[in-house]
Amino acid sequence: MENNNRRGFMGKAFGAVAAVGAVGSLVAMKKTWDPLPSVKAAGFTTLDMSIYAEGVMVTEKWRGKPIFVLKKSERLMAQEKGNAAAEARNIKIGNDNFMVAIGLCTHLGCIPAFRKDEGNFLCACHGGMFDASGLVLKVPPPRGFDIPPFKIEGNKLVLGEVGPEWQAMKDNGVTL
Amino acid sequence: MAHFTKATSVKDWLNQRLAIEKVEKVMASEYWIPKNINFLWAMGMILVVTFVLLLVSGIFLLMYYVPTVDEAFDSVNYTIMREVDFGWLWRHVHGVAASVVFLIIYIHMFTGIYYGSYKKGREMIWISGMLLFVAFSAEAFSGYMLPWGQMSYWAGMVITNLFSGGSLHANFLVEWIRGDYVPAQAFLGRFFMLHVLLIPVAIMGLIGLHFAALRIPHVNNQDGGEIDFDVESKKYLDGDKAGSKVMRFANDFMSKDMMVVGIFLIFFFYLVFYNYGFAMDAVNFDPADGLKTPTHIYPEWYFLWSYEILRPFNIDLGLVLFGFAQVIFVFLPFIDRSPNSIPANRRGTAFKVWFWLMLSNMIVLTAMGKLPPEGMFSAIGLVSAILFIVQWLALPIITSMEKKV
Ligand code: HEM
Ligand code: FES
């Protein structure tokens, strides 16, 4: 009887030690899978916005992801006039309006192709479509292209840094 | 201490220490197999052989494969394929086996469903089998990342994105799985580890569990009839071999098994030498490029049916139905409410139709998953996907109305 009590106690004592160890090792394992500090630090890209030509879609790179940059032409601006959702997504640099967005389909992350003549994007993976402002034209994508955090510095755009314009877009639900 | 005597032979020496005779009986000569079974019962043995082929070819590939984003592609497509003598052989064996193993797994699964081999004490066989299916799927996916071609990269992108959970936007989880914002070195490194160590070890453990689960209920038979293995094996051991309904696993039944394995191996090596192309996607012979998506992204053929259940719906519904399709097979023993464990064709019209419809619908889903998601194909895919879900929801109802036969 007395022995059984002692065995019970020893069992519980071991259980407690093992539980602490198990939690500790789970934390270590989780952290080992986290992105490395060097990966996180390499997260900024500066774009010179004065070099883009109107109506030509250019793909830049930020955090390994493609970034679509489209300087809106008169025609595109006229087309979207009155469409508040589209206008809210424009980034103004001087007198120019830009669409800058992460070029990954919000469905499952393929890169949609820009179709110059139609002025829209088609995702080949599951047939999703986006307009020139990055809004969804055809499902399955659940929302328009995400807009990367940016900060306007003169005619430069720093991706990865949060500026007031981006913060406003985020607060208004224009991007995630 | 146990009592040991001077050994009379090597066998006796081992017997005293390892009880090899007893082990041999339990595992082979007195492991009883019903006589009333057909070649479909050899699929399990074919799967074991195919796993060994994967293991051996994988070990040789591993000697030259370099798991870095800069060198992986060349180490496979140049070093292994051109420099290493017979390197192509290991790669083709590995690629063809990875594809064919799923064909056999599907045959094995549908054989189990047809003959009701997931019922009456065989539930653990079924569950451990489905866990093996999951483990093999993870093994195939992680292996597909390794050559670091365009399909590796984009399949990695799309599949890891599933973990954002649609509108849950769990991007932190996706980035955690990748170890980066996009698939890159951290991603390749961890999938390499999974592919060559953790998942193969898990597979070996699961194969052990699958076999252990078989030992007590024994394999089913063509009529699904219950066999009293104690009575029948006694009859056999007492000399009435013809009258007994069972036979020894080794060497008697195994000789038939190996005959089917032989035929399989001829077919297998025919594919390896003359028709390996189907197992190597042409798009994956372009190195990974994070700034260019291939025009059509589709998984290997064995994932197409579940991919087609994801595709036609909006992302949240798609994910829910896809998740449903992934796990529902595991629960088959509990969803099938009928007490009958006999071949599907003898269980009455409802289940008979259910079975053949499920089989053909999965073939249709597979075909549609490969075709571009446009027009007619989108429509057929949508109908098939809905049918798949409806069939599973209907199963408990039609099986509880089934008459006991
Ligand atoms: C312990 C066993 C295994 C080892 C050591 C191993 C090792 C490897 C290595 C080093 C590669 C990269 C070279 C290449 O692409 O050909 C590879 C590729 C691959 N493995 Fe495995 N593997 C094993 C088991 C499996 C299993 C069980 C499956 C599937 C069911 C599988 C599926 C694949 C696939 C689909 C590829 C890509 C093949 C290709 O694109 O050519 N492997 N494996
Ligand atoms: S990833 Fe673009 S539609 Fe699915």
Side-chain angles (χ1 to χ4, degrees), chain A residues 31-42, chain B residues 179-181 185-186 190:
Chain A
K31 294 266 181 193
T32 304
W33 275 62
D34 277 347
L36 299 177
S38 56
V39 166
K40 286 188 165 160
Chain B
D180 202 329
Y181 304 105
Q185 184 57 48
R190 60 192 57 179

Side-chain angles (χ1 to χ4, degrees), chain A residues 104-112 122-130 138-141, chain B residues 158 307 311:
Chain A
L104 295 175
C105 183
T106 50
H107 181 222
L108 290 175
C110 296
I111 303 179
L122 171 68
C123 180
C125 288
H126 317 99
M129 279 168 75
F130 301 84
K138 179 169 173 271
V139 292
Chain B
V158 170
Y307 181 71
R311 210 161 62 162

Side-chain angles (χ1 to χ4, degrees), chain A residues 58-72:
Chain A
V58 178
T59 306
E60 303 285 356
K61 195 170 171 179
W62 168 73
R63 293 188 180 171
K65 297 178 185 178
I67 299 294
F68 291 161
V69 181
L70 175 64
K71 184 165 163 183
K72 300 243 174 113

Side-chain angles (χ1 to χ4, degrees), chain B residues 95-288:
Chain B
V96 171
S99 193
V100 168
V101 85
F102 280 93
L103 176 67
I104 308 293
I105 287 178
Y106 285 129
I107 297 178
H108 193 56
M109 265 173 75
F110 274 93
T111 304
I113 302 180
Y114 183 82
Y115 290 105
S117 310
Y118 49 87
K119 299 183 168 207
K120 295 208 174 138
R122 298 199 175 85
E123 293 85 353
M124 274 314 296
I125 308 176
W126 179 261
I127 292 169
S128 58
M130 284 312 298
L131 292 177
L132 273 168
F133 178 74
V134 172
F136 267 92
S137 302
E139 179 68 359
F141 174 72
S142 57
Y144 200 65
M145 299 299 106
L146 301 184
W148 210 240
Q150 270 292 67
M151 272 297 186
S152 305
Y153 184 92
W154 287 101
M157 181 73 121
V158 170
I159 298 297
T160 47
N161 264 338
L162 291 177
F163 289 90
S164 70
S167 297
L168 299 177
H169 301 307
N171 287 336
F172 65 92
L173 182 59
V174 175
E175 280 161 19
W176 181 72
I177 292 170
R178 292 177 185 160
D180 202 329
Y181 304 105
V182 289
Q185 184 57 48
F187 175 88
L188 181 58
R190 60 192 57 179
F191 277 83
F192 173 67
M193 175 283 288
L194 290 173
H195 185 74
V196 304
L197 184 67
L198 192 55
I199 303 174
V201 168
I203 288 178
M204 288 185 249
L206 286 169
I207 292 178
L209 177 63
H210 200 55
F211 287 2
L214 262 166
R215 193 64 186 70
I216 295 170
H218 293 82
V219 297
N220 196 7
N221 57 72
Q222 279 191 85
D223 294 320
E226 209 170 291
I227 293 179
D228 188 333
F229 283 88
D230 292 334
V231 173
E232 298 299 329
S233 59
K234 190 162 181 313
K235 223 191 254 176
Y236 187 100
L237 290 174
D238 290 346
D240 185 10
K241 292 189 184 179
S244 170
K245 288 185 184 156
V246 298
M247 65 200 284
R248 298 177 192 276
F249 169 66
N251 298 318
D252 311 4
F253 177 69
M254 207 158 72
S255 61
K256 290 194 182 177
D257 248 3
M258 293 325 269
M259 166 82 192
V260 182
V261 168
I263 295 169
F264 166 75
L265 285 176
I266 293 171
F267 163 71
F268 177 80
F269 280 100
Y270 159 74
L271 292 177
V272 167
F273 291 124
Y274 301 106
N275 247 317
Y276 51 83
F278 75 95
M280 313 259 150
D281 198 298
V283 182
N284 222 19
F285 287 94
D286 291 329

